[in-house]
Amino acid sequence: MYSKDEAKLLRKEFWIVFARRCEIVPELRHKKKKWLLHDTGLNGIDLKFDVSRTEALVMIEVNSRLENRRLEIFETLQKYQKFLEEGFAEPLEWDICFVRESGQEVCRILTALPNVDFHRQNQWPDIFNFMIDNMLLLENNLMEIKDVLETELY
């Protein structure tokens, strides 16, 4: 069991090691920026990684503070579900109302790797591979429909 400070340091080390791991991925070598994440160019739509004691997640998060706008974006993304899920072995999870620890409601479209614990460093390679492979796919799929989304949403 880790103390709060030890867990914080472990989390920081996890992300540092993950960044180093990303540096050796051929698909990321020539990119100016490794991951788009908050810089999708689509207002209210972010790409995110998350890891916990129970799972690792790769997701699109629709985070507009205006509920009507958030739902409009989510419904538009649902129209392109086939394109967003292309290449994934399993369908993505579509969560229209996820409440963050802060209390903010967001919509999420995600894939999860269950039964992993970032506290177990021996699981890090599997978590890193899951996160890299799935984010490359999700980011590419989202960027393929970006122009259409911009036309419909903005």
Side-chain angles (χ1 to χ4, degrees):
M1 190 57 87
Y2 292 100
S3 72
K4 189 174 181 178
D5 288 338
E6 289 170 330
K8 185 177 179 180
L9 286 174
L10 185 63
R11 182 174 289 281
K12 183 177 180 180
E13 182 182 350
F14 174 88
W15 292 112
I16 289 169
V17 174
F18 178 64
R20 280 194 220 122
R21 171 66 177 82
C22 290
E23 290 174 5
I24 63 170
V25 175
E27 295 90 343
L28 298 175
R29 280 196 191 136
H30 304 293
K31 286 180 80 172
K32 183 177 179 180
K33 188 176 177 192
K34 294 280 185 258
W35 302 107
L36 292 177
L37 302 179
H38 301 291
D39 193 24
T40 62
L42 298 165
N43 192 20
I45 300 175
D46 293 336
L47 292 162
K48 291 189 173 192
F49 295 109
D50 194 15
V51 65
S52 69
R53 302 282 322 266
T54 59
E55 65 185 351
L57 304 173
V58 172
M59 71 190 96
I60 295 172
E61 188 174 86
V62 181
N63 55 27
S64 175
R65 294 201 183 274
L66 301 172
E67 182 179 17
N68 289 342
R69 180 68 177 145
R70 188 173 61 250
L71 295 175
E72 176 188 6
I73 294 169
F74 187 77
E75 289 170 3
T76 301
L77 289 170
Q78 282 180 313
K79 289 195 304 190
Y80 298 98
Q81 181 172 353
K82 176 184 169 190
F83 296 102
L84 289 172
E85 293 183 343
E86 191 170 314
F88 286 93
E90 300 289 326
L92 298 173
E93 294 177 40
W94 294 71
D95 187 349
I96 197 166
C97 185
F98 178 83
V99 181
R100 290 187 191 160
E101 286 181 18
S102 67
Q104 181 185 7
E105 291 182 6
V106 296
C107 301
R108 286 182 163 181
I109 304 162
L110 62 96
T111 184
L113 177 63
N115 305 315
V116 292
D117 180 353
F118 86 95
H119 282 196
R120 296 185 177 164
Q121 292 184 17
N122 64 328
Q123 293 182 348
W124 286 10
D126 293 334
I127 295 170
F128 294 159
N129 289 337
F130 166 81
M131 290 169 55
I132 290 168
D133 293 346
N134 285 283
M135 184 57 82
L136 283 170
L137 190 53
L138 192 58
E139 185 178 280
N140 185 58
N141 290 354
L142 182 64
M143 291 302 102
E144 285 289 322
I145 62 171
K146 179 181 178 182
D147 291 341
V148 174
L149 293 173
E150 285 177 330
T151 301
E152 286 195 37
L153 293 170
Y154 307 104

